Amino acid sequence: MAITAPELVTSRWFNTPEPLTLASLRGKVVILHAFQMLCPGCVAHGTPQAQKLHKLTQRTDQAVTIGLHTVFEHHEAMTEVALKAFIHEYRLTMPIAVDQPAENGRIPRTMRLYEMNGTPTTIVIDRNGVVREHLFGQVDDLALGYLVGSLMAERVEDLSGGTESDIDRAESGCRVPTGTAS
Amino acid sequence: MAITAPELVTSRWFNTPEPLTLASLRGKVVILHAFQMLCPGCVAHGTPQAQKLHKLTQRTDQAVTIGLHTVFEHHEAMTEVALKAFIHEYRLTMPIAVDQPAENGRIPRTMRLYEMNGTPTTIVIDRNGVVREHLFGQVDDLALGYLVGSLMAERVEDLSGGTESDIDRAESGCRVPTGTAS
Amino acid sequence: MAITAPELVTSRWFNTPEPLTLASLRGKVVILHAFQMLCPGCVAHGTPQAQKLHKLTQRTDQAVTIGLHTVFEHHEAMTEVALKAFIHEYRLTMPIAVDQPAENGRIPRTMRLYEMNGTPTTIVIDRNGVVREHLFGQVDDLALGYLVGSLMAERVEDLSGGTESDIDRAESGCRVPTGTAS
Amino acid sequence: MAITAPELVTSRWFNTPEPLTLASLRGKVVILHAFQMLCPGCVAHGTPQAQKLHKLTQRTDQAVTIGLHTVFEHHEAMTEVALKAFIHEYRLTMPIAVDQPAENGRIPRTMRLYEMNGTPTTIVIDRNGVVREHLFGQVDDLALGYLVGSLMAERVEDLSGGTESDIDRAESGCRVPTGTAS
């Protein structure tokens, strides 16, 4: 059964004149990169990969790469001011949203809607708005590029939520501790 | 003007029960990885990348990755016996052909037909047998995966030899010296 | 003419029961790693290298590796609270000092005393308290280990401030802009 | 009990006007890098590391780095002609010896004298000719540099075969199969 990607719930955007919504991106492939600026696996691998994918996908109007800052620990350190400095220092140009903090609990709202295990998480959404891949930790460049390329070339009407992704599961990320009061 | 990929001219194959021809692969995407076993850029980047792409593409019947040993220097060292040991030590499982030596000159025949500049060279051929990418040196994983994915999803009838590849040109390979008596 | 390393001027220490001083470390080799938690070259190379050197040097009482957080930009983002979270996430166990902010200007006090060009900066001080190496940017592991090993084995009385280091100069860091009101 | 390094038994040298002997190098630190040109772990890590160490140690007359081609498999592929091409392609400038083939069995003579487990093997010999380190597989740059630096600064008379090396054991090499008729 295909899962339609829940809408993003955000409190702020960087690198875009106005907020993006998945609804308005329907018809395009969307790569959602969930990260935390103090997550070592994000800084070393995930975020540079997403930025590189942004450089590839921005040359077309068929796909969009979005960063999502999903802070679930060290909230006092990963503020919007700090994120802004991080974006500057790492020269990130992809659109980046701040996931809206929960009213209660540590896990922010979009992160909870997608039931993410931690950061980095890579979510690939097809032209019909269906989640085709949901990966925690380090993702292979070749396999990710291959998946995004395949989905970009799919016609909207083709999509039966069909093919399985070929990306092997590795793990190198900041996992949400079990039993976290989210 | 689209360039149809010339047929491979080979003297021996490894890792395949019988020789492959581009003609028999028409309708599939073909990635051709030209290398030399003593070329540092091949051993460090190109050949592992091709092997990884083989692992991805062999799960489908829509694409095939082929290695091509194009010896243009140190012929006495890069013999078929040595190549066989190399394939064993590096655990290569993709089909690998030996480019047929020229009757005169150092550059082997397929390498000359494709006018390659050296090794590694990555050639991507679409479902219609048209060369869509021809790259010398190190190729970015994400961009290559993305290109192959896009081409796999193309229909045969679509192909007008159209879109330009987005792969940036870098270079890290063994270049054929200018003025070589090929 | 040998330059005696100026004393550290710090506002806070992590990972040590009490503040360290170069005076109290005389007789030991000291490796001083100046960094900023949002400096990409520090996070990717310099800080992990210093932490690794700490693991090596802590097995002896002949050398000490010290981190120094020298914030010269984005002061509002690189607070002590943020640094504490960074130390936790990157599992740093070496003693780390916060360079004391200047009363006026952006460059903190120890950084100014040493006339550092930016971060990461690696300073190697011999058993006599003499600066034997001062490097900006990425430093080769093999060469740095080799230098530290050589200096550790030197006797105190040997030191004429003599041998030149063999470390090649590369650069991959956050440089203080020229003309900065320090 | 300190083990004096057995003399090298070689059939050919490259990159040196005349053969080297450990006897003639007594008083210097010697780093012996045993490798095979078709061993992936050697090509990727060990041999470049030894070449880099050669660049560092050749600036002094206190240490020497030596390559030793210890072929124990694929003898028909790793000939002297092939090694010569390998040295050329990888731009190796350190002195390199060919380990003398055994009269019977596959393991060459020096390799057997040192009871090496496979390639790459790194052997560090101190000024007194005592083996201070014998490592199979990938060796950390920082730790190796540190060890060599420390030993270079030791006086000849100091050596009681004393200090233990701090290098952690990892493994990433071509191991001689158990039960090999050496």
Side-chain angles (χ1 to χ4, degrees):
Chain A
M1 176 63 197
I3 303 171
T4 299
E7 190 53 83
L8 307 176
V9 187
T10 61
S11 59
R12 178 158 178 194
W13 284 83
F14 295 90
N15 294 335
T16 171
E18 52 191 68
L20 302 179
T21 64
L22 295 185
S24 69
L25 297 172
R26 201 57 49 86
K28 304 186 183 190
V29 176
V30 177
I31 303 96
L32 190 63
H33 164 60
F35 73 106
Q36 294 181 108
M37 59 175 282
L38 291 183
C39 159
C42 301
V43 174
H45 303 288
T47 306
Q49 180 183 61
Q51 170 64 18
K52 217 152 106 182
L53 203 49
H54 166 65
K55 291 279 194 179
L56 281 172
T57 53
Q58 72 174 349
R59 300 181 194 176
T60 172
D61 60 352
Q62 303 300 306
V64 174
T65 306
I66 296 174
L68 181 69
H69 198 228
T70 53
V71 181
F72 65 85
E73 57 189 352
H74 305 298
H75 296 79
E76 72 293 355
M78 293 190 270
T79 60
E80 290 185 10
V81 164
L83 177 61
K84 189 178 175 183
F86 177 81
I87 289 169
H88 179 267
E89 283 304 305
Y90 282 82
R91 302 176 189 185
L92 303 178
T93 57
M94 61 182 160
I96 292 177
V98 176
D99 194 0
Q100 191 166 104
E103 289 180 23
N104 45 48
R106 301 189 312 169
I107 312 291
R109 291 185 59 190
T110 313
M111 189 175 182
R112 193 156 43 175
L113 282 171
Y114 279 84
E115 301 180 352
M116 297 181 193
N117 292 315
T119 54
T121 287
T122 303
I123 288 172
V124 183
I125 302 168
D126 71 21
R127 293 177 183 279
N128 276 353
V130 173
V131 172
R132 293 289 281 271
E133 189 56 271
H134 180 140
L135 295 156
F136 172 61
Q138 191 171 345
V139 178
D140 183 73
D141 272 352
L142 200 60
L144 182 60
Y146 180 71
L147 173 66
V148 172
S150 305
L151 295 180
M152 278 183 58
E154 278 187 349
R155 266 63 163 181
V156 176
E157 66 271 26
D158 285 345
L159 303 170
S160 50
T163 38
E164 280 302 296
S165 150
D166 291 325
I167 300 182
D168 290 323
R169 266 65 186 175
E171 182 165 320
S172 166
C174 292
R175 184 178 278 280
V176 177
T178 311
T180 289
S182 62
Chain B
M1 176 60 195
I3 302 171
T4 299
E7 189 53 82
L8 307 176
V9 187
T10 62
S11 59
R12 177 157 178 194
W13 284 83
F14 294 91
N15 294 335
T16 172
E18 51 191 69
L20 302 178
T21 64
L22 295 185
S24 67
L25 297 172
R26 201 57 47 87
K28 304 185 184 192
V29 175
V30 177
I31 304 97
L32 190 62
H33 163 61
F35 73 105
Q36 293 181 109
M37 58 174 283
L38 291 183
C39 159
C42 300
V43 174
H45 303 288
T47 306
Q49 181 183 60
Q51 170 65 18
K52 216 153 106 181
L53 203 48
H54 165 66
K55 291 278 194 182
L56 281 173
T57 54
Q58 72 174 351
R59 299 180 196 178
T60 171
D61 60 352
Q62 304 299 307
V64 173
T65 307
I66 296 173
L68 182 68
H69 197 229
T70 53
V71 181
F72 65 85
E73 58 189 352
H74 306 298
H75 296 78
E76 72 293 355
M78 292 190 270
T79 59
E80 291 186 10
V81 164
L83 178 60
K84 189 176 176 186
F86 177 81
I87 289 170
H88 179 267
E89 284 304 304
Y90 282 82
R91 301 177 190 186
L92 303 178
T93 55
M94 62 183 160
I96 293 177
V98 175
D99 195 358
Q100 190 165 105
E103 289 179 23
N104 44 49
R106 299 190 312 167
I107 311 291
R109 293 185 59 191
T110 313
M111 190 177 180
R112 194 153 44 172
L113 282 170
Y114 279 83
E115 300 181 354
M116 297 182 194
N117 291 317
T119 54
T121 287
T122 303
I123 288 172
V124 183
I125 302 168
D126 70 21
R127 292 176 184 280
N128 276 353
V130 173
V131 173
R132 293 289 280 271
E133 189 56 271
H134 179 142
L135 295 156
F136 172 60
Q138 191 171 345
V139 178
D140 182 73
D141 272 350
L142 200 60
L144 181 59
Y146 180 71
L147 173 66
V148 172
S150 306
L151 294 181
M152 278 182 57
E154 279 187 350
R155 265 59 163 186
V156 176
E157 66 269 28
D158 284 347
L159 303 169
S160 51
T163 39
E164 279 302 296
S165 149
D166 290 327
I167 300 182
D168 290 324
R169 266 64 186 174
E171 183 164 321
S172 168
C174 292
R175 184 179 279 281
V176 177
T178 311
T180 288
S182 61
Chain C
M1 177 60 195
I3 302 170
T4 298
E7 190 53 83
L8 306 176
V9 187
T10 61
S11 59
R12 176 155 180 198
W13 284 82
F14 294 90
N15 294 335
T16 171
E18 53 190 68
L20 302 178
T21 64
L22 295 184
S24 68
L25 297 173
R26 201 58 47 88
K28 303 186 184 189
V29 176
V30 176
I31 303 96
L32 190 62
H33 163 61
F35 73 106
Q36 293 180 108
M37 58 173 283
L38 291 183
C39 159
C42 300
V43 173
H45 303 288
T47 306
Q49 180 183 61
Q51 171 64 17
K52 214 152 108 182
L53 203 48
H54 166 67
K55 291 278 194 180
L56 282 173
T57 54
Q58 73 174 348
R59 301 181 194 175
T60 173
D61 60 352
Q62 303 299 306
V64 174
T65 307
I66 295 173
L68 181 69
H69 198 229
T70 54
V71 181
F72 64 85
E73 56 187 353
H74 305 298
H75 295 78
E76 73 292 355
M78 293 189 270
T79 60
E80 291 186 10
V81 164
L83 177 61
K84 189 177 174 185
F86 177 81
I87 289 170
H88 179 267
E89 284 304 304
Y90 282 82
R91 302 179 189 184
L92 304 177
T93 56
M94 61 182 160
I96 293 177
V98 176
D99 195 358
Q100 191 166 105
E103 289 178 23
N104 44 50
R106 299 190 312 169
I107 311 292
R109 293 185 58 190
T110 313
M111 190 177 181
R112 191 152 48 172
L113 282 170
Y114 279 83
E115 301 180 353
M116 297 181 193
N117 292 317
T119 55
T121 287
T122 303
I123 288 173
V124 183
I125 302 167
D126 70 20
R127 293 176 183 279
N128 277 352
V130 174
V131 172
R132 294 289 280 272
E133 189 57 271
H134 180 140
L135 296 155
F136 172 60
Q138 190 172 346
V139 178
D140 182 74
D141 271 351
L142 200 60
L144 182 59
Y146 181 71
L147 173 66
V148 172
S150 306
L151 294 180
M152 278 182 58
E154 279 186 349
R155 267 60 164 187
V156 176
E157 66 269 27
D158 285 346
L159 303 169
S160 50
T163 38
E164 279 302 295
S165 150
D166 290 325
I167 300 182
D168 290 324
R169 265 65 186 174
E171 183 165 319
S172 166
C174 292
R175 184 178 278 280
V176 177
T178 311
T180 289
S182 62
Chain D
M1 177 61 197
I3 302 172
T4 299
E7 190 53 82
L8 306 176
V9 187
T10 61
S11 59
R12 177 156 179 197
W13 285 82
F14 294 90
N15 293 335
T16 172
E18 52 190 70
L20 302 179
T21 64
L22 295 185
S24 68
L25 297 172
R26 201 57 49 86
K28 304 185 184 190
V29 175
V30 177
I31 304 96
L32 190 63
H33 163 60
F35 73 105
Q36 294 181 108
M37 58 175 282
L38 291 183
C39 159
C42 301
V43 173
H45 303 287
T47 306
Q49 180 184 61
Q51 171 64 18
K52 214 151 108 181
L53 203 49
H54 166 66
K55 291 279 194 180
L56 281 173
T57 54
Q58 72 174 349
R59 301 181 195 176
T60 172
D61 60 353
Q62 303 300 305
V64 173
T65 306
I66 296 174
L68 181 68
H69 197 228
T70 53
V71 181
F72 65 85
E73 56 188 353
H74 305 298
H75 296 79
E76 73 292 357
M78 292 189 270
T79 60
E80 291 187 9
V81 164
L83 178 61
K84 190 176 175 185
F86 177 82
I87 290 169
H88 179 267
E89 283 303 305
Y90 282 81
R91 301 178 190 183
L92 303 178
T93 56
M94 61 182 160
I96 292 177
V98 175
D99 194 358
Q100 190 166 104
E103 290 180 22
N104 44 49
R106 301 189 311 168
I107 312 291
R109 292 185 58 190
T110 313
M111 189 176 182
R112 192 154 45 172
L113 282 171
Y114 279 83
E115 300 181 352
M116 296 180 193
N117 292 316
T119 54
T121 287
T122 304
I123 288 172
V124 184
I125 303 168
D126 70 22
R127 292 177 183 279
N128 276 353
V130 173
V131 173
R132 293 290 279 272
E133 189 56 271
H134 180 140
L135 295 156
F136 172 61
Q138 191 172 344
V139 177
D140 182 73
D141 272 352
L142 200 59
L144 182 60
Y146 181 72
L147 173 66
V148 172
S150 306
L151 295 180
M152 279 182 58
E154 279 187 350
R155 266 59 164 186
V156 175
E157 66 271 26
D158 284 347
L159 304 169
S160 50
T163 37
E164 279 302 296
S165 149
D166 290 326
I167 301 182
D168 290 323
R169 265 66 184 174
E171 183 165 320
S172 167
C174 292
R175 184 179 279 280
V176 177
T178 311
T180 289
S182 62

